[in-house]
Every structure is written in C-alpha cells, then in structure tokens.
Amino acid sequence: MREPPYATELKPYGRALVELGRRRAEVLCLSGDLTRQTEVDLFQAEFPDRFIHGGMAEANMMGMAGALARCGFLPFVHTFGVFATRRPYDQIANAIAYPGLPVRIIGFMPGVSTPGGPSHQAIDDVALMRALPNMTVIDVADAAQTHQVVEAIADLPGPVYVRLKRGEIPVIFDDDHVLCLDRAEVLTAGTDVALFASGMMVAAALAAARTLGGHGVSVCVVNVPVIKPLDEGTVRSAAAGAEIVVTAENHSVIGGLGSAVAETIAEAGLGRPLRRIGLRDTFAEGAADAGYLFAKYGLSTQAIVETIWSALGKPGRAPTAPVAVGNATSGGGRYSPVLPLPVLNKSLGAS
C-alpha cells in the first residue's frame, strides 16, 4: 500500500468502462441525465450507438435495463446513488432482482460525499440493496479497485450494485493489487481491534490505525469491498483475533456494513464488543464543505481513533490524528484521509 497523501486519478471508472466496451459489443451504457457527472461521457463519445439517455426517469431506466438484459445485452446503469436505489426501488426489485438479470447499477456520490443534502445523500443505499435477493453490493476503496471493478463484475451472475466516489479518486493500493470479489482483504495485522471498513472509509481506517499504533494500540484493518455476499470467514477470523470489533462506513449504521458484520459475529457466537461508525439514524444536512459533514457526523479519522480509544477503556484523551495536506473531499490532486477539520470541497460541488 502507498502512504498518504495519496495521488489521485480522474475518471478511472469511465475509462475502464470504455475499455470493456471495446472488447465486448454487448455492453450498453445508460445514463439518468447525469452523463458527465458519472464519467460516462467518455463512453458516449466513443460508442454513441450503445449509449442510452434515460433522462430524469430512473424507474423507467431500470425497466429498460431489465428488458435489454433479457435481450442478451449487458447494461451498465449510471446515476447518483440515491437516484439509483431509493427512487426506482420497486422497478429494481421486480424487473431486475427477481428475475436475476445481469444489470450493473452504478451509484455515484455515496453517503455524505455530496453536499446536496438529504435528497442527494445515499445514506441507505447499501441497506436497500442488501435486502434484495440475488443482488451483489460493492463499495470500492480507491482508483485501482474502481478501474478493476468494471471487468470484475462483467460476468457475475445476477444484478450488481456498485458505490463509487465522484471526483478525484485516491490511489491507495500498489500497481500489483488485485480486487477480489470473493473475500475481504486484511490490510494490517493487529490483535486489539478488528476494524472493518468499506469505500471512502478505508483511507480513514488506515490513518486511524497508524495513529493508534503509535500509542500502543494494535489494529487489524480489513477492507470489505463486497458487503453482500459478505466474506463471513474473514470477518469471523479477524473478529476472533481481537478484543473489540469496529465498523466504519459512509452510510447509516442501520442495515449496511455494520449490520452485516454484527449479524455474522452474532451468528458465530463471538462475544466481542462492537462499535459502529456511520450516520446515527439521522438525515444529514447539506453543506458546500463535505469535510465538514464527515466531521459533524462522526466519520472522520479522529472519530475512529476516539471510538476505539474509548471502547478499549484507555485512560486520558485519545491521541490526535495528524492533519495532512489535502482531504478526502477536496481538490488539488492529492488525497488524505477524512480529517477532523473541515476543508472546502471543490471537486464534489453541485453539478
């Protein structure tokens, strides 16, 4: 793995979809009136005859995708996460998930990474899609995984939902990293804490582990790119080897990664204290500064450090995570983990 602040890439998903489209003529691209904002302007420019503009009618777009899949095509459907799940949920359930069709639903701007307020913040998308039979749910951590996920999901059976950060995407993993969809990935070894993280929270989890490691706390960080089906074996193994279990997700603590891990360790009979980091059963406010939102709702690196310090019963105040140049929600070509202090968001501004 690389060290922060991480270099960033622009449009790794869009470029990967074009590459897949060059190799496979059955790939179709659907956009819900957010073509540039979901990076598929690249696909539209190269394959205009395989690009379908669904307009601001997501339910109809999901129905079209299901029909196209029945005709032998491989539809990739794109919009913001909240419009990809909450708005067309009935159509996804009946036209895609129930018949188990190979539709790939790509939801951008997950959780509070958008400043658009409750109408745009997909804080329940993982919970919604986890509840659907046949649905695979993926939340990748960096540009390398974002690029690889396109090829990785192409031939998965049934429908797939992928959460993707928009804007500058960090490069956390080395060039030889391989995204595996059948197992979670242990990134650091540790025996005090098993810290499970997904998506945008992976960088923050790694930063928290480094800070705590400097104060005698050993943290096992596990990247969980596939939330459903969950790699229960790795979850059980990591949890059994630690004193406490912590989950970190850019999502509500209800129904997402925290719930999936809790279900797994409970069914395995592992008596470990659990702390879930995420939105605490609340809608988030809108703000031009997404870093402010991460800090306010307890999703910062510092929040992870303080949660773990308290759960372990450590005396005194928790150590302070260092503030680096750049932020998970700022522009400038460098990406640091989500910080305890707000940084003006330029790359994720309203479109």
Side-chain angles (χ1 to χ4, degrees), residues 76-334:
F76 282 71
V77 185
H78 307 84
T79 183
F80 292 165
V82 68
F83 306 139
T85 56
R86 191 187 299 166
R87 183 174 292 173
Y89 194 69
D90 186 61
Q91 285 71 24
I92 295 172
N94 286 295
I96 295 174
Y98 174 58
L101 295 171
V103 175
R104 282 67 180 107
I105 302 169
I106 314 299
F108 281 77
M109 299 187 78
V112 292
S113 66
T114 168
S119 65
H120 282 61
Q121 291 163 344
I123 61 171
D124 52 11
D125 55 330
V126 172
L128 290 170
M129 302 307 261
R130 274 188 72 222
L132 287 175
N134 300 324
M135 185 69 69
T136 296
V137 180
I138 299 174
D139 193 7
V140 293
D142 83 329
Q145 292 192 333
T146 298
H147 192 276
Q148 293 179 32
V149 75
V150 176
E151 179 75 32
I153 66 175
D155 293 314
L156 280 182
V160 180
Y161 175 65
V162 180
R163 301 178 108 208
L164 291 182
K165 179 185 181 296
R166 177 188 167 206
E168 295 179 331
I169 313 301
V171 183
I172 298 173
F173 299 110
D174 295 326
D175 294 339
D176 59 354
H177 175 80
V178 177
L179 171 65
C180 294
L181 299 186
D182 60 352
R183 64 180 180 274
E185 182 180 17
V186 177
L187 303 180
T188 66
T191 56
D192 293 325
V193 185
L195 174 54
F196 299 93
S198 64
M200 292 180 67
M201 297 304 293
V202 171
L206 289 168
R210 282 189 291 270
T211 297
L212 289 162
H215 292 79
V217 177
S218 174
V219 182
C220 172
V221 177
V222 183
N223 173 30
V224 187
V226 181
I227 302 172
K228 182 189 175 187
L230 187 69
D231 175 8
E232 296 180 352
T234 298
V235 171
R236 289 193 298 266
S237 176
E243 294 182 26
I244 66 168
V245 174
V246 178
T247 62
E249 58 193 311
N250 177 24
H251 184 272
S252 170
V253 295
I254 299 172
L257 174 65
S259 293
V261 169
E263 293 159 10
T264 298
I265 62 176
E267 289 179 351
L270 292 174
R272 298 293 186 276
L274 171 68
R275 301 291 186 273
R276 294 170 297 161
I277 293 170
L279 276 82
R280 311 301 302 185
D281 192 23
T282 183
F283 290 104
E285 65 192 60
D289 183 349
Y292 163 80
L293 294 177
F294 274 84
K296 175 171 182 176
Y297 293 99
L299 305 180
S300 67
T301 299
Q302 186 62 35
I304 299 175
V305 170
E306 292 173 358
T307 297
I308 291 174
W309 195 260
S310 173
L312 288 172
K314 296 289 185 179
R317 301 182 66 176
T320 300
V323 177
V325 177
N327 189 267
T329 52
S330 71
R334 303 295 285 177

